């Protein structure tokens, strides 16, 4: 019944909300000071709670006004949140972690991915979207070479199902339409996956 966002209060990155759909944003009274920059922080509803990944921390908020720290093991990098199945996935630079509905964090083993394998050490995760059969992950190439789009089943540790190069150095946005990924490259070109 309201909107949520992460923004700067002039000094710190904080969580803001509207009192209803039609009102202006105001600081959430229970908002923690977030260590991450606003452009490195993501916010998403999952498991009847609101989750925010920022800096090294993952926070959750239930229907009350209290924020709880779920984890402090994230890196101070850009975080993207996505839901697939009954898990919340959190990007962590070159890795993808996940939590289940009991908020148990997986950083290794099943439900985790490290893209720094098979020569991908120059890639960082820039976007992530869930489909019917897994997660589509867009990357940014820090060496200026080609970015990749990775499809992963969301379960098998460190084993992406497919990797596709894109004629751009980064993926700045991605969406799925009818299970087909569309990505916007850093060069301003919109790409459609053709199989």
């Amino acid at each position: 019944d309201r909107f949520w966002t992460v923004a700067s209060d002039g000094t710190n990155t904080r969580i803001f909300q509207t009192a209803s759909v039609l009102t202006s944003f105001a600081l959430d009274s229970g908002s923690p000071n977030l260590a991450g920059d606003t452009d490195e922080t993501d916010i998403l509803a999952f498991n009847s709670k609101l989750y925010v990944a920022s800096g090294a921390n993952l926070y959750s908020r239930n229907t009350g006004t209290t924020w709880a720290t779920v984890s402090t093991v994230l890196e101070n990098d850009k975080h993207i949140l996505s839901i697939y199945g009954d898990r919340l996935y959190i990007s962590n630079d070159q890795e993808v972690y996940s939590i289940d509905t009991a908020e148990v964090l997986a950083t290794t083993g099943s439900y985790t991915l490290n893209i720094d394998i098979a020569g991908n050490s120059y890639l960082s995760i820039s976007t992530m979207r869930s489909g019917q059969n897994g997660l589509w992950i867009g990357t940014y190439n820090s060496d200026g070479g080609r970015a990749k789009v990775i499809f992963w089943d969301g379960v098998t540790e460190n084993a992406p199902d497919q990797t596709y190069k894109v004629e751009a150095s980064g993926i700045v946005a991605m969406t799925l339409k009818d299970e087909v990924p569309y990505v916007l490259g850093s060069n301003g070109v919109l790409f459609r996956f053709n199989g």
Side-chain angles (χ1 to χ4, degrees), residues 6 13 15 34-44 50-60 67 71 74-75 77-81 88-92:
V6 175
T13 300
I15 302 159
L34 305 177
D37 293 333
T38 56
D39 61 347
E40 296 180 342
T41 300
D42 201 7
I43 184 169
L44 189 67
L50 194 63
Y51 288 85
V52 173
S54 183
N57 299 324
L58 178 65
Y59 302 95
S60 70
W67 285 89
S71 173
L74 302 180
E75 296 175 15
D77 289 303
K78 181 177 183 174
H79 302 297
I80 306 293
L81 300 177
L88 174 67
Y89 290 82
I90 308 113
S91 72
N92 197 42

Side-chain angles (χ1 to χ4, degrees), residues 17 20 43 66 99 115 146 181:
Q17 64 168 315
S20 68
I43 184 169
T66 305
I99 64 169
I115 66 169
R146 291 168 63 181

Side-chain angles (χ1 to χ4, degrees), residues 25-195:
F25 281 97
L27 179 66
D28 178 29
S29 62
S31 172
N33 286 335
L34 305 177
D37 293 333
T38 56
D39 61 347
E40 296 180 342
T41 300
D42 201 7
I43 184 169
L44 189 67
F46 167 72
N47 194 30
S48 300
K49 293 183 179 182
L50 194 63
Y51 288 85
V52 173
S54 183
N57 299 324
L58 178 65
Y59 302 95
S60 70
R61 182 187 194 274
N62 58 19
T63 55
T65 60
T66 305
W67 285 89
T69 303
V70 177
S71 173
T72 60
V73 302
L74 302 180
E75 296 175 15
N76 287 308
D77 289 303
K78 181 177 183 174
H79 302 297
I80 306 293
L81 300 177
S82 188
I83 300 167
Y84 175 65
D86 60 352
R87 300 187 76 86
L88 174 67
Y89 290 82
I90 308 113
S91 72
N92 197 42
D93 188 34
Q94 293 184 311
E95 299 172 297
V96 179
Y97 298 158
S98 67
I99 64 169
D100 58 16
T101 55
E103 294 186 340
V104 176
L105 180 71
T107 58
T108 60
S110 296
Y111 307 105
T112 67
L113 176 69
N114 186 339
I115 66 169
D116 185 14
I117 54 176
N120 292 328
S121 61
Y122 49 88
L123 296 178
S124 295
I125 296 170
S126 60
T127 186
M128 186 167 52
R129 296 291 179 262
S130 61
Q132 288 182 346
N133 299 314
L135 292 160
W136 290 91
I137 300 167
T139 63
Y140 171 79
N141 187 319
S142 60
D143 283 349
R146 291 168 63 181
K148 294 181 181 178
V149 174
I150 299 167
F151 180 73
W152 174 50
D153 68 8
V155 178
T156 310
E157 180 184 18
N158 298 336
D161 295 82
Q162 296 291 330
T163 302
Y164 307 94
K165 288 186 178 180
V166 176
E167 293 292 335
S169 62
I171 305 300
V172 297
M174 180 187 327
T175 191
L176 300 182
K177 182 181 184 306
D178 301 326
E179 289 300 301
V180 176
Y182 290 77
V183 299
L184 180 62
S186 56
N187 55 2
V189 176
L190 180 64
F191 298 92
R192 177 186 182 275
F193 180 64
N194 65 8

